[in-house]
Amino acid sequence: MTIWIVLGALTLLVGGYILWPLWRGNTVSAPDAPDTDNDELQRDLAVYRDQLAEIDRDIDRGVLTTEQADAARIEVQRRILSTDQRIQSRSLSGEAMAHVSRLRPVVAVFTLVLLVVGIGFYINLGRPDLPDRPIASRGDEIMAARQARDVDSNRTTAFNRAVQDLSNRLLENPDDLKGWELLGASLMALGRAEEAQTAFLEAVKRSGRDGDYLAMYAESVIRAENGQVNVIARGALEEAAKSGSKDPRIQYFLGLADAQNGNVAAAIDRWIMLVNAAPADASWLPMVLGRIEESAIAQGIDIAGRITITPPMVSNTPSETNGPNREEMEAAAEMTPEQRQEMILGMVSQLADRLKENPDNPEGWARLIRAYAVINNPDMAQQAYDTARHQFADNSELLAQFSSLAAELGIPVN
Amino acid sequence: MIVEIGHYALVLSLVMAMAQSTIPFIAASRRDIVLLKIAPRLAIACFALVGTSFAALTYAYVTSDFSVVNVIANSHTSKPLIYKITGVWANHEGSMLLWVMILTLFASAVAAFGRNLPPSLLARVIGVMGIIALGFLLFILLTSNPFERVVNPPLNGEGMNPLLQDPGIAIHPPFLYLGYVGFSVAFAFAVAALIEGRVDPAWARWVRPWTLAAWVFLTAGIGLGSWWAYYELGWGGWWFWDPVENASFMPWLAGTALLHSAIVVEKRDALKSWTIFLAILAFSFSLLGTFLVRSGALTSVHAFATDPTRGVFILFLLCLTVGGSLMLYAWRAPTLKGGGLFQPISREGALVFNNVLLSIAAAMVLLGTLYPLLLETVTGEKISVGAPFFNSTFVPIMTPAIIAMVFGPLMPWKRADLFAVLGKLKIAIAAVILVLLVTYWLAGGPAFALFGMGLATWLFVGTILEWTSRIKLFRGPLKTSLRRMRNLPRSAHGTMLAHAGVAIVVAGITGSQAWTEESVQSLGIGDSTVLSGHTFTLSSLREYEGPNFVAREATITIATPGERTITLTPEKRVYTVEGMPTTEAGIQSGITGDIYAVIGDEDANGKWVTRFYVKPMIPWMWTGGLVMVLGGLMSLSDRRYRVGAPARSTKAAPTVPAE
């Protein structure tokens, strides 16, 4: 409330200051008002008279010779004469004007209206509800953040120690397959994909090239390559597929390899087979479905009716429909490529708008970044990535997720 | 609450600008003395409000209020206080706010000091400045609002470009803007005169000091900018014909022309229409510069097209202001009454000659700056127009201008005798020959260096000769000369200083371009290298931690040919928040030139990459700039009425009309 009193006082002060002459002006009677037209010519004459005086001073100081001064004087006197003539003709023709216009009340009202418009504009733009937040007054928050970071780093330290213990144990007892798997998974969680590769590779070798371990190994290779499915990963995946393993990662990453080789249709076929065969409560289902939808829209591939599984609630953010729904997808299938492109751009910009209004939606940001990357707009993807990082600057877990997403999409991380 | 008061004050200043761009015109056309009194109050209120808003933003920066988006994006708690303050204008939004604050400052200064101006002229000048302020305030509030807030403020900001964390570049934008925006006063006077349909004597008396003040600031701003580039970018360059630099150089050229033609209007009542045109041109160049720098068009036409809101807005403002004022000029200028007459060979003639050359030079720079943009827009091809183009066009245009600069002040007004003037310059011609011989004997060339040194000598000696002839030095007792010197109007000293400053700049450019020597090498601790008679030794290295950076500092010991020992401590810094490296060159300046040392990274053999330069005469450039600024200030302090005495005709000579 205080703020409105201050802003109101400021408005009154400014309004009063500028309109003061109007209020005072009414007490000036019309005959007192000078004739501004003649006044201007009189001012000119005054300037010329000052110039003549200046010439005299210049002679005194020896800057001008008498001869130069005479020449200058004649010129100034000529100008005085012509101004004099104009004054004469002006007063003869009675050109002088009235100096009290009936516009004064109009000006007053106009100014007041403008002030009201200003207040309206501010209500639209400003955030009077937000207090100042100087850093000096935010000691509590800084403390809390520091503690959280300490807890985080303690946890990481403990985790790292556990990993170290585990790997020491495995050196003594290298045939512990579950141990290698645990070590690999832990290293993956710590973001040390290259070391995870070695752990999983041990498991693969010592298990007689078990399909499930091959799939884990492939995933660690792909992660270490920033999301690229290289020849090694592909070989491991294909071997795993032949071994009859049902690990969903195999088909998913083989699909990703197809997509990265430009064969998105094959990728979608693979993924659709994967989801249709999956249990309805599989935790990875929403992610793969999302991937299918995005790729299908981006490539304009009709997938209507091909997905037979009904996923559980896709998103854990409540109710809002964040992606294209089935009807939109079906409609998209019947469009020309241009129309489809337009629809995609429309949906992306809707999402961007929604996030602008309600930015506290990490999934939405991830989807937006991915969407920009898919429609081949790296600048905007970069921008969305920066904004998202900004938005969740105090959440290290989300930040890590965003940077791995950026790495996957090839967005430069600065 | 302070942040929101600032935001509201900014909105309220927009309202003031709306009133300021309408009410004064109504008042002036109705000649209502009460309404006319409102005009100055509007300008003053507008400045007070923008000032409040700027102060509020500064407060947010100083207190690190990260609920303001602009502070998040450009500040950090570990920044030293001085760079928290300069961070206010080291970004797009804040710098536009500074721009408008300076504009309203000038408008309110005109309002406060303009009581002796005809009230209707004053009102119209304020009105024109109100229209410009309105445009820019709308731009800020609609596309570049520095007061945007976030609900959940982060605990720290993203920092500021470390290249800008430097005292030289920190005060560079305010100076540059004082210059750019200062031309808006001359522009507003020009437009107001066109609307009034008359250029009265008070008009001329007003335009010159404002133009001069703007010119002084712009000169200082450009000088600071090039000095910063020299010591901070770390390879000894100082001017790159970069579009951003050109953007500040074009208004300077047009402003210099305007300054000189305003003298003719004030002293001789001639060249009015041309002066009005130059006033429009100088401010148009300022707006163009703002557009080029602020729209993103320079980084790439493509970047401009992806986020066109800002660019299109300024482009629209630019077209409206420039187009509108030029149309008004075309419509009204013919009705202006021409003033005094003069012959082609006269001081007026010399000033017109220089005006034309300066305008052509500005046009060449404009072409070289805009051509790549146009080409990229039309064909998508990216080219860059660099130093070869500018050197081969700019130098031939400016050479006759510099030669003529000596003649101008020596010629009387209205009509002059070229041979008599040449007679007075015998000493200057002798000095040029002497300097050429000495230069050839000492350095042996190159040809352009001889040419440049000759030109500088001609200008310097010619300028000093003019001044000594006015005080009759050596032509009477010294006492008389001293008395005459004291009596000489300060503007005469100003002319002398400014012209001599140009000569010093020309000499500095020539010398440093012709005789700079450089060497790049890897040195271990204790190793030496010899460059141009100087022995450079890498004595030691240390690392230390600054407030927001870590630095590696080298100690370079230099034995000069004159057996002196100099120690330089160049640094390489890495700013931790931004993760950006910068170089801090070690520079030893002296009257003969600079010794310049840069430390780089470690090479594969564990040695350190170092770069050394010996740059003769380069400090002359900034010294000359400083002398020009002093000359401008000296002339600015001269507030007398100025009348130019014409030379009497000895025979009946035909005269040409002034316009």
Side-chain angles (χ1 to χ4, degrees):
Chain A
M1 201 57 224
T2 346
I3 181 143
W4 287 112
I5 296 169
V6 175
L7 299 188
L10 185 64
T11 317
L12 286 180
L13 192 74
V14 169
Y17 172 71
I18 55 173
L19 293 179
W20 178 250
L22 277 187
W23 187 75
R24 289 266 306 155
N26 289 336
T27 60
V28 181
S29 58
D32 288 346
D35 175 350
T36 21
D37 283 327
N38 253 331
D39 200 40
E40 273 168 26
L41 295 174
Q42 296 293 353
R43 274 169 203 276
D44 289 2
L45 283 184
V47 172
Y48 295 139
R49 263 181 237 121
D50 285 344
Q51 286 183 343
L52 284 179
E54 192 64 47
I55 293 172
D56 290 339
R57 275 199 293 278
D58 276 352
I59 299 177
D60 292 345
R61 297 195 305 180
V63 177
L64 286 182
T65 63
T66 343
E67 195 184 308
Q68 286 174 323
D70 284 345
R73 256 195 223 112
I74 289 173
E75 286 203 343
V76 175
Q77 278 159 357
R78 267 194 214 128
R79 287 175 214 157
I80 291 183
L81 270 179
S82 93
T83 312
D84 246 353
Q85 279 164 3
R86 277 165 65 199
I87 294 182
Q88 297 295 331
S89 64
R90 187 67 62 86
S91 35
L92 283 179
S93 63
E95 245 182 75
M97 287 186 189
H99 296 287
V100 184
S101 73
R102 263 170 260 120
L103 277 175
R104 286 182 197 175
V106 179
V107 166
V109 172
F110 173 65
T111 311
L112 293 176
V113 168
L114 279 184
L115 289 175
V116 173
V117 168
I119 293 171
F121 196 36
Y122 172 74
I123 291 174
N124 206 13
L125 280 181
R127 292 301 301 264
D129 53 318
L130 295 184
D132 287 349
R133 301 292 298 278
I135 202 75
S137 73
R138 296 171 65 198
D140 298 352
E141 281 178 68
I142 294 174
M143 280 303 264
R146 195 167 295 154
Q147 274 162 8
R149 203 168 51 222
D150 287 351
V151 170
D152 242 23
S153 79
N154 286 343
R155 206 179 285 147
T156 318
T157 322
F159 203 43
N160 274 320
R161 199 173 302 132
V163 167
Q164 191 58 46
D165 290 349
L166 181 57
S167 65
N168 288 343
R169 247 200 347 266
L170 285 169
L171 287 179
E172 286 162 21
N173 182 14
D175 281 329
D176 178 1
L177 289 179
K178 283 286 160 203
W180 287 116
E181 182 184 342
L182 181 60
L183 180 63
S186 309
L187 288 167
M188 289 286 274
L190 285 170
R192 290 151 66 180
E194 307 229 348
E195 294 162 73
Q197 273 181 54
T198 330
F200 286 131
L201 195 57
E202 284 297 323
V204 169
K205 282 184 196 155
R206 292 172 194 278
S207 65
R209 305 193 79 79
D210 177 273
D212 290 352
Y213 290 133
L214 277 166
M216 291 174 209
Y217 170 64
E219 185 183 18
S220 65
V221 173
I222 293 166
R223 179 85 72 86
E225 292 289 315
N226 286 328
Q228 286 296 315
V229 185
N230 63 9
V231 186
I232 300 171
R234 193 174 186 137
L237 289 167
E238 275 162 0
E239 192 185 337
K242 269 186 216 134
S243 79
S245 162
K246 289 275 173 281
D247 191 313
R249 275 175 282 209
I250 300 169
Q251 290 307 317
Y252 175 71
F253 284 122
L254 282 173
L256 187 62
D258 289 338
Q260 284 171 358
N261 289 332
N263 194 350
V264 181
I268 290 176
D269 291 346
R270 241 185 236 281
W271 289 335
I272 288 177
M273 258 160 55
L274 176 65
V275 294
N276 285 344
D281 58 350
S283 64
W284 45 267
L285 202 49
M287 191 274 284
V288 179
L289 283 169
R291 199 65 198 258
I292 296 173
E293 284 174 7
E294 280 161 18
S295 311
I297 294 172
Q299 296 291 319
I301 295 171
D302 180 11
I303 54 163
R306 289 175 57 193
I307 296 172
T308 53
I309 194 162
T310 334
M313 279 301 292
V314 170
S315 161
N316 51 9
T317 46
S319 74
E320 229 182 300
T321 49
N322 279 332
N325 58 31
R326 194 156 296 243
E327 285 133 54
E328 281 172 327
M329 301 271 290
E330 277 162 14
E334 288 161 18
M335 291 174 176
T336 64
E338 289 82 22
Q339 287 171 328
R340 204 175 290 128
Q341 183 72 11
E342 204 165 289
M343 175 181 148
I344 293 165
L345 290 178
M347 285 192 300
V348 173
S349 75
Q350 270 176 24
L351 176 58
D353 289 345
R354 267 208 304 277
L355 287 170
K356 207 174 267 176
E357 277 163 27
N358 178 20
D360 195 16
N361 177 0
E363 277 194 16
W365 282 108
R367 189 187 284 269
L368 184 66
I369 295 167
R370 193 183 282 282
Y372 279 130
V374 167
I375 62 177
N376 205 5
N377 192 339
D379 290 346
M380 293 302 287
Q382 170 86 46
Q383 204 176 327
Y385 168 68
D386 288 342
T387 322
R389 242 173 24 126
H390 211 197
Q391 178 68 28
F392 304 105
D394 40 6
N395 186 334
S396 53
E397 199 179 318
L398 283 177
L399 285 183
Q401 286 180 17
F402 280 126
S403 29
S404 67
L405 174 67
E408 181 190 331
L409 298 173
I411 298 170
V413 184
N414 44 15
Chain B
M1 189 168 74
I2 290 174
V3 173
E4 288 304 315
I5 292 175
H7 196 175
Y8 182 68
L10 192 62
V11 173
L12 208 53
S13 74
L14 176 80
V15 167
M16 284 303 109
M18 286 175 178
Q20 194 186 332
S21 47
T22 45
I23 294 173
F25 290 110
I26 298 168
S29 73
R30 295 270 166 159
R31 300 187 175 275
D32 182 319
I33 49 156
V34 173
L35 288 185
L36 282 170
K37 277 188 190 149
I38 293 183
R41 284 173 177 253
L42 285 168
I44 289 165
C46 196
F47 167 61
L49 288 166
V50 179
T52 306
S53 155
F54 191 83
L57 187 63
T58 310
Y59 171 84
Y61 266 86
V62 170
T63 60
S64 292
D65 186 337
F66 295 119
S67 68
V68 180
V69 175
N70 196 248
V71 181
I72 305 175
N74 300 293
S75 198
H76 192 275
T77 47
S78 71
K79 241 182 2 175
L81 179 64
I82 165 92
Y83 299 125
K84 284 183 186 162
I85 297 172
T86 65
V88 175
W89 58 77
N91 64 82
H92 169 78
E93 289 82 0
S95 81
M96 289 317 298
L97 188 60
L98 178 71
W99 205 100
V100 174
M101 183 170 79
I102 291 173
L103 178 70
T104 55
L105 168 72
F106 276 118
S108 69
V110 172
F113 298 125
R115 301 199 195 288
N116 56 351
L117 277 174
S120 66
L121 176 65
L122 176 64
R124 284 182 171 127
V125 169
I126 289 173
V128 174
M129 296 188 82
I131 294 175
I132 302 165
L134 174 63
F136 276 91
L137 283 168
L138 271 177
F139 174 72
I140 291 178
L141 283 168
L142 295 181
T143 73
S144 318
N145 195 333
F147 289 104
E148 259 179 56
R149 307 287 298 273
V150 288
V151 181
N152 297 313
L155 285 171
N156 221 328
E158 292 170 356
M160 168 167 135
N161 185 342
L163 284 177
L164 304 180
Q165 299 190 27
D166 174 273
I169 203 69
I171 51 170
H172 161 74
F175 271 103
L176 212 54
Y177 283 4
L178 280 165
Y180 272 8
V181 183
F183 289 131
S184 73
V185 181
F187 173 82
F189 269 90
V191 172
L194 287 174
I195 297 173
E196 299 243 308
R198 64 190 288 261
V199 176
D200 52 50
W203 187 91
R205 197 163 141 53
W206 266 78
V207 167
R208 194 190 64 98
W210 286 104
T211 309
L212 189 53
W215 181 88
V216 165
F217 285 124
L218 194 56
T219 308
I222 293 175
L224 274 171
S226 79
W227 187 46
W228 167 80
Y230 172 67
Y231 69 69
E232 180 71 28
L233 297 185
W235 52 280
W238 47 270
W239 188 266
F240 311 102
W241 292 109
D242 178 83
V244 180
E245 290 168 332
N246 294 347
S248 64
F249 196 46
M250 289 185 282
W252 188 87
L253 289 169
T256 309
L258 169 63
L259 185 65
H260 289 89
S261 86
I263 296 174
V264 182
V265 182
E266 185 183 8
K267 289 195 158 189
R268 301 289 308 146
D269 205 26
L271 294 187
K272 289 175 192 168
S273 178
W274 171 242
T275 304
I276 284 180
F277 178 71
L278 282 177
I280 292 174
L281 202 65
F283 187 58
S284 300
F285 276 133
S286 298
L287 283 181
L288 179 72
T290 311
F291 164 73
L292 287 176
V293 176
R294 288 288 144 222
S295 66
L298 284 183
T299 16
S300 110
V301 173
H302 176 72
F304 173 65
T306 37
D307 187 14
T309 355
R310 288 175 174 176
V312 169
F313 200 114
I314 308 192
L315 191 61
F316 178 71
L317 270 183
L318 183 71
C319 294
L320 202 70
T321 320
V322 179
S325 53
L326 286 179
M327 263 164 62
L328 188 68
Y329 178 78
W331 176 42
R332 300 286 293 206
T335 65
L336 293 176
K337 262 182 49 178
L341 308 176
F342 60 86
Q343 282 195 324
I345 302 287
S346 64
R347 195 182 306 184
E348 291 98 319
L351 285 167
V352 169
F353 179 68
N354 261 19
N355 262 322
V356 170
L357 289 176
L358 284 167
S359 307
I360 296 173
M364 292 318 296
V365 178
L366 180 70
L367 182 70
T369 311
L370 290 189
Y371 180 71
L373 288 181
L374 290 178
L375 193 70
E376 194 188 337
T377 314
V378 177
T379 66
E381 190 187 343
K382 257 181 128 57
I383 60 158
S384 78
V385 173
F389 168 80
F390 290 105
N391 290 344
S392 61
T393 53
F394 194 72
V395 174
I397 295 168
M398 290 313 285
T399 303
I402 287 175
I403 294 173
M405 264 169 87
V406 174
F407 288 103
L410 280 167
M411 292 192 198
W413 296 104
K414 204 163 180 180
R415 55 180 73 80
D417 179 355
L418 197 57
F419 290 103
V421 172
L422 264 178
K424 288 185 198 167
L425 287 168
K426 275 183 285 216
I427 300 178
I429 296 166
V432 169
I433 294 168
L434 184 69
V435 166
L436 287 182
L437 288 175
V438 170
T439 312
Y440 186 75
W441 179 59
L442 282 179
F448 84 86
L450 294 178
F451 176 73
M453 296 310 286
L455 204 59
T457 312
W458 165 253
L459 178 55
F460 188 80
V461 177
T463 302
I464 299 295
L465 277 180
E466 190 266 334
W467 185 73
T468 53
S469 80
R470 290 186 77 160
I471 63 171
K472 295 205 163 50
L473 193 66
F474 308 129
R475 255 176 264 157
L478 193 63
K479 226 162 135 191
T480 326
S481 290
L482 281 177
R483 187 179 51 78
R484 288 186 69 89
M485 189 180 88
R486 270 198 306 277
N487 281 339
L488 209 59
R490 267 173 286 181
S491 63
H493 298 304
T495 305
M496 187 268 287
L497 283 173
H499 286 190
V502 175
I504 299 172
V505 170
V506 171
I509 294 174
T510 309
S512 63
Q513 294 292 94
W515 300 306
T516 288
E517 293 195 51
E518 70 169 283
S519 72
V520 184
Q521 61 282 310
S522 294
L523 293 182
I525 306 285
D527 290 355
S528 298
T529 184
V530 177
L531 173 67
S532 164
H534 298 66
T535 310
F536 291 76
T537 311
L538 176 61
S539 304
S540 63
L541 270 175
R542 72 176 185 113
E543 307 215 333
Y544 75 98
E545 209 165 302
N548 54 348
F549 59 85
V550 288
R552 180 169 62 237
E553 186 191 73
T555 304
I556 312 271
T557 316
I558 300 144
T560 69
E563 316 248 313
R564 277 195 309 140
T565 307
I566 297 165
T567 309
L568 294 179
T569 51
E571 292 177 20
K572 177 151 186 148
R573 293 178 180 173
V574 175
Y575 282 74
T576 33
V577 175
E578 299 84 0
M580 260 179 77
T582 69
T583 57
E584 303 289 317
I587 302 175
Q588 167 82 30
S589 270
I591 183 143
T592 51
D594 280 6
I595 300 167
Y596 188 111
V598 179
I599 177 83
D601 291 317
E602 196 170 5
D603 71 3
N605 307 323
K607 295 187 166 190
W608 301 89
V609 177
T610 50
R611 271 179 296 137
F612 302 130
Y613 301 83
V614 175
K615 290 178 163 285
M617 299 180 73
I618 197 160
W620 291 35
M621 232 160 24
W622 295 291
T623 313
L626 197 64
V627 172
M628 284 161 77
V629 167
L630 285 178
L633 289 175
M634 179 77 106
S635 189
L636 193 58
S637 71
D638 184 0
R639 294 296 298 126
R640 299 170 321 112
Y641 278 91
R642 292 143 49 99
V643 190
R648 281 246 164 118
S649 155
T650 43
K651 53 182 189 286
T655 51
V656 294
E659 279 151 276

